Amino acid sequence: MIASHPFQFFLWSIYPYLMLGSFFFGTIIRFAFFHPTVTAKSSELLEKKTLMIGSIMFHVGIIGVFFGHIIGVLIPKAWTDALGISDEFYHHIIAMPAGAFFGILATVGVYILCFRRFHDHRVFHASSTGDLVVIVALTVEITLGMLSSFVAGPTNPDFNYRTSLAIWARQIFMFHPDFRLMLQVPLMFKMHVIFGFMIFGAFPYTRLVHALALPWQYVYRRFIVYRRRPQI
């Protein structure tokens, strides 16, 4: 079977580990040896109004989308079946409405940020090549995700990601992914997965790594007291 599908075997059994390895080891090296660079250069002083709108929508949306992916992958279909939750109820009442809400927020937000990054000449000229690549990559990935869920999914009614793609994804963490589960997955879903792993692989070497830099020092640092300058 492997001999007849060598490229598919590479894509679904080797490529994910290459990207995840790059993510974990790259992140460790970035924080251990290049910690001062773990930041996202702000362009707020150059343009604020559009940034605030796009950034809030994008971050709220992407957090919801991220946890939606986690839940959709980690909760097996057998569990919801055991609870008496039908596929129709799960998809049409739980997954689709929540996915549409957060997906639209993330999509509109990232399109606003991408437009701002390229359209505002001051922001554009202050952006590094990495900044431009990152915003384009996020825009493409989120677009692929929306097309997968709301175009490729409905046009392939016999496809159920919970019986193929989700099982394969869980098998990655068990170190024995069955690439055959991905052979009949619609192309749009495959592109979404491939591009998503590519972003994970590049994550430690871009501004995206700032998402892991939680400001724990604010929890235990002493309060800063500000006093008015006395009037003379």
Side-chain angles (χ1 to χ4, degrees):
M1 187 68 175
I2 295 176
S4 59
H5 298 282
F7 183 65
Q8 296 290 334
F9 176 77
F10 171 80
L11 275 183
W12 312 119
S13 296
I14 298 176
Y15 171 74
Y17 292 109
L18 294 177
M19 296 300 100
L20 290 175
S22 175
F23 172 81
F24 286 112
F25 290 110
T27 300
I28 292 171
I29 293 172
R30 181 79 179 268
F31 275 85
F33 300 103
F34 304 96
H35 195 276
T37 68
V38 180
T39 182
K41 183 174 63 175
S42 176
S43 58
E44 181 178 347
L45 293 177
L46 302 177
E47 193 283 325
K48 184 175 181 178
K49 184 177 180 180
T50 307
L51 173 64
M52 289 297 100
I53 297 172
S55 182
I56 291 173
M57 294 183 70
F58 169 73
H59 283 89
V60 172
I62 205 66
I63 290 172
V65 168
F66 175 78
F67 283 105
H69 278 62
I70 296 297
I71 293 171
V73 167
L74 294 185
I75 297 181
K77 183 176 179 296
W79 291 13
T80 52
D81 289 345
L83 293 173
I85 300 175
S86 65
D87 281 347
E88 291 75 15
F89 184 88
Y90 177 85
H91 285 293
H92 298 296
I93 305 300
I94 300 176
M96 295 297 284
F101 175 76
F102 289 109
I104 290 172
L105 275 180
T107 302
V108 174
V110 80
Y111 272 77
I112 290 174
L113 294 177
C114 189
F115 176 81
R116 171 184 178 272
R117 181 69 64 177
F118 284 91
H119 183 261
D120 190 298
H121 70 277
R122 293 187 302 169
V123 176
F124 177 79
H125 288 296
S127 303
S128 67
T129 302
D131 294 336
L132 300 176
V133 171
V134 163
I135 193 64
V136 170
L138 289 175
T139 303
V140 171
E141 174 64 1
I142 292 173
T143 301
L144 287 173
M146 293 296 285
L147 290 175
S148 298
S149 298
F150 300 102
V151 177
T155 56
N156 292 273
D158 294 332
F159 170 71
N160 186 345
Y161 79 92
R162 303 183 75 200
T163 60
S164 55
L165 198 158
I167 296 175
W168 167 82
R170 291 195 297 271
Q171 290 176 346
I172 290 176
F173 298 99
M174 294 181 253
F175 300 102
H176 60 83
D178 184 358
F179 76 97
R180 293 171 296 184
L181 290 169
M182 295 295 292
L183 295 181
Q184 302 304 318
V185 171
L187 178 61
M188 198 68 69
F189 282 89
K190 290 181 178 180
M191 293 173 62
H192 181 55
V193 173
I194 292 170
F195 212 82
F197 273 111
M198 187 183 302
I199 291 177
F200 266 100
F203 189 95
Y205 320 108
T206 67
R207 64 185 289 135
L208 292 174
V209 76
H210 82 276
L212 302 178
L214 298 177
W216 296 112
Q217 66 271 21
Y218 288 100
V219 176
Y220 55 79
R221 79 173 187 179
R222 297 181 65 181
F223 289 104
I224 299 176
V225 179
Y226 293 92
R227 294 183 177 89
R228 289 181 177 273
R229 178 178 296 177
Q231 298 294 327
I232 299 176

